[in-house]
Amino acid sequence: MIGHRGEDFKNLYRDIHPRVQTLFGTKQPVFLSTSSAWGVMEASIRNLVGKRVLCCMCGAFSDKWLDVAKRCGKEAEALKVDWGKHVDHKDVDLALASGKFDTVTLVHNETSTGVMNPLPEICCVLAKYSEVALIVDTVSSFSAVKIDMDALGLDVMLTGAQKALALPPGFSLFSVSEKAFARAEKQKDRGYYFDFLEFKKQQAEWMTPSTPSIGHIHALQSKLDEIFDEGLDARFARHARTNALVQDWVGRTGFDFFAEEGFRSKTLTCVKNNKGIDVVDLARKLRDKHHLVIDPGYGKIRGHSFRLSNMGDETEETVAHLLACLDDCLQ
């Protein structure tokens, strides 16, 4: 353990910072938050929403953002599609043309349904509305697919530690545009723990506003070594290959995809239970017999779907092993 207000911590932050900037695709500072990603998701609402926020909703996590915004006392409206469908950039354009909104929330990769929303197309729409800030959750896509915050024009890009980064939960990273900092300066009720301006001031001295989870940051340093030793292009390609293995398995076994074609996640697959099996029993068998864990569907689609992850440290060998064990349990 090192002191979190001394030179050792500053040196640790200095070491990881250029590499996390590369992963974010930004020249902006990247902040370390001792919280789950939900902390930063709520913080983004408190720091940026002045007038009204448009919450793009396509699954459990994106749906929750509307509730969070309202609990923060903000005016919020939903742009909602059925679970399994993607957020259409044309619908975003139509909503923003009303002039009612100053902020948009979007989950890039909706973990509950296996939908990956068309981020470049949505960002092109946002470019037409300079007064609107875009907050993007990249929790289950960050570091597995290429996302360039600055090129896309994202105002807040946030992620958690426990998905593709494959670190213990309870830690998150985020970056904020200059436009978002300017907006935050106008907000009077942004609090302290998640005050973006406080993060910016402290990061300039290689500090965090409050006591950081130093263990997580050491783990992140080690993970960054692994990521850059592998190479970003190779990492992205590995995720594409392991994802293809899972998708091929879905077709081979007669299952179907919950997410619509053309908008399926590259890091996890939400499998539709079109065969009417006992999904909870399948997950139990897999755990008892092979010591492997899958999720038997999230929220309202529990039992009607199950989710297979190929993110993080998974390789073609580990994913192939999972699929073979699933075949065994389905016999």
Side-chain angles (χ1 to χ4, degrees), residues 4-294:
H4 66 276
R5 292 294 182 225
E7 283 301 313
D8 286 344
F9 179 79
K10 291 182 179 182
N11 290 333
L12 176 61
Y13 202 161
R14 286 190 188 101
D15 178 70
I16 67 169
H17 192 254
R19 292 182 290 173
V20 290
Q21 281 182 307
T22 299
L23 285 180
F24 273 79
T26 187
K27 295 181 179 178
Q28 291 294 105
V30 177
F31 305 120
L32 312 175
S33 178
T34 299
S35 70
S36 71
W38 265 116
V40 184
M41 292 164 79
E42 178 173 325
S44 300
I45 296 293
R46 292 187 177 276
N47 279 265
L48 296 190
V49 180
K51 185 164 57 175
R52 181 180 280 115
V53 56
L54 178 70
C55 297
C56 299
M57 297 165 56
C58 61
F61 299 101
S62 49
D63 287 8
K64 183 68 176 175
W65 230 336
L66 180 72
D67 178 46
V68 170
K70 290 180 176 179
R71 291 194 194 196
C72 289
K74 305 295 185 179
E75 294 291 328
E77 291 185 22
L79 192 168
K80 191 169 187 176
V81 299
D82 291 339
W83 283 29
K85 302 297 183 182
H86 74 287
V87 175
D88 193 314
H89 69 281
K90 295 177 183 176
D91 293 334
V92 176
D93 195 4
L94 185 63
L96 295 183
S98 68
K100 296 191 296 183
F101 304 101
D102 66 0
T103 311
V104 173
T105 66
L106 176 73
V107 171
H108 178 218
N109 198 64
E110 176 53 70
T111 322
S112 65
T113 64
V115 168
M116 182 171 282
N117 284 306
L119 187 56
E121 290 86 345
I122 293 171
C123 288
C124 284
V125 168
L126 266 292
K128 294 168 53 179
Y129 301 94
S130 60
E131 74 284 3
V132 181
L134 176 60
I135 307 166
V136 180
D137 164 337
T138 66
V139 167
S140 57
S141 55
F142 179 79
S143 85
V145 300
K146 185 177 178 64
I147 307 171
D148 284 329
M149 175 181 169
D150 291 352
L152 290 168
L154 311 186
D155 293 298
V156 177
M157 177 172 159
L158 63 97
T159 192
Q162 77 279 14
K163 299 297 184 184
L165 284 176
L167 298 176
F171 191 74
S172 52
L173 302 93
F174 68 104
S175 189
V176 178
S177 72
E178 289 302 322
K179 171 180 164 181
F181 283 130
R183 176 78 65 80
E185 288 177 353
K186 300 175 183 177
Q187 305 300 321
K188 297 179 180 179
D189 57 352
R190 59 184 187 269
Y192 172 75
Y193 192 87
F194 289 115
D195 180 357
F196 285 175
L197 300 180
E198 192 66 35
F199 270 96
K200 185 180 183 182
K201 182 176 77 173
Q202 295 288 339
Q203 191 275 337
E205 302 297 327
W206 303 106
M207 288 287 175
T208 55
S210 52
T211 306
S213 176
I214 293 174
H216 273 105
I217 303 169
H218 278 301
L220 176 60
Q221 183 183 44
S222 175
K223 180 60 63 177
L224 290 168
D225 289 341
E226 295 176 8
I227 290 172
F228 284 90
D229 283 347
E230 180 180 17
L232 293 187
D233 289 342
R235 181 178 176 83
F236 301 151
R238 172 168 57 82
H239 279 84
R241 292 194 304 271
T242 53
N243 184 250
L245 284 176
V246 179
Q247 295 204 3
D248 289 346
W249 178 86
V250 173
R252 173 172 61 79
T253 53
F255 284 105
D256 202 354
F257 296 94
F258 191 82
E260 62 180 319
E261 186 175 359
F263 300 94
R264 291 172 188 153
S265 169
K266 301 295 190 296
T267 60
L268 66 107
T269 301
C270 188
V271 184
K272 183 185 292 185
N273 184 18
N274 55 297
K275 299 174 73 171
I277 66 169
D278 186 332
V279 172
V280 174
D281 184 60
L282 172 64
R284 182 189 57 77
K285 286 180 180 177
L286 188 68
R287 184 167 192 158
D288 291 347
K289 189 172 183 180
H290 297 289
H291 311 291
L292 294 170
V293 176
I294 63 171

